[in-house]
Amino acid sequence: MSGNIELLNDTLAAAKAEGRSALIAYLPAGFPTVDGGIAAIKAVFDGGADVVEVGLPHSDPVLDGPVIQTADDIALRGGVKIADVFRTVREAHAATGKPVLVMTYWNPIDRYGVERFTAELAAAGGAGCILPDLPVQESALWREHAAKHDLATVFVVAPSSKDARLATITAAGSGFVYAASLMGVTGTRVSVGAQAQDLVRRTRATTGLPVCVGLGVSNAAQAAEVAGFADGVIVGSAFVQRMLDADDEAAGLAAVRELAGELAKGVREHA
């Protein structure tokens, strides 16, 4: 069964045709429960997200700040498994018809088996995978199987990446390029800053892929700022924090739906 890279490509192209950035939301699978996580993803799509990244909870999330680590801990204590991640992708995509990716560190895929992981992600209707810690030079096996199953391979670039390195990374990727707006871990920031704009400019010089910015965006004003120079605005910690702050699951769903609506309005301010 084929994955949904074309749906991802079409969704990003449609946002561009509207003269705006795409809104990409991140939520971990299994948080606060598997069913609750699926409901939360449906809520952010309902609020206006174009794409959702489903996090595969990891015990040592090197890129993720304390907010997402807290959610991962809750999911792992709840016994979340890779099968639950695929179920989350399947149900979220089936309910909305929108592109859903998985964001994961390499170790769980390596243990699970690349061929098995890509086949099952495609069968679930997944659009691809974001792989923040997989070096491009070690990615040939993954990319072979991802391409076979019509899955996007999204690599992460950072402000520290030299131009030649950017060209190597973007040549190997598909779907979009994830531009980390600053050095460090995920989390909300007061300002996303000029560093991100420069990284987008340098990355675009190497590729025709959309360049989407994550790490630090938490409100409509920041979303509008990033939408002024990026093809997509990626928001994770702010959604997770809304869930953590909620008194109960219903309140959490309402809160993430509301935030998605605010951010969706923000990315349209430049349309």
Side-chain angles (χ1 to χ4, degrees), residues 43-143:
V44 298
F45 272 135
D46 189 42
D50 298 291
V51 179
V52 166
E53 306 169 5
V54 176
L56 193 159
H58 195 272
S59 56
D60 184 26
V62 292
L63 184 74
D64 297 314
V67 171
I68 290 173
Q69 284 188 29
T70 299
D72 278 5
D73 287 344
I74 291 168
L76 290 167
R77 285 203 304 272
V80 71
K81 301 286 190 291
I82 289 180
D84 298 314
V85 177
F86 292 143
R87 182 187 151 212
T88 299
V89 171
R90 180 182 299 106
E91 294 194 16
H93 170 65
T96 64
K98 295 187 177 179
V100 182
L101 300 103
V102 168
M103 185 168 191
T104 179
Y105 297 97
W106 180 246
N107 193 40
I109 295 177
D110 197 34
R111 287 204 310 264
Y112 199 76
V114 173
E115 187 164 7
R116 180 183 175 200
F117 191 98
T118 51
E120 292 183 16
L121 178 56
C129 224
I130 301 161
L131 301 160
D133 67 339
L134 176 63
V136 170
Q137 62 271 25
E138 297 173 20
S139 68
L141 180 65
W142 165 267
R143 287 188 286 123

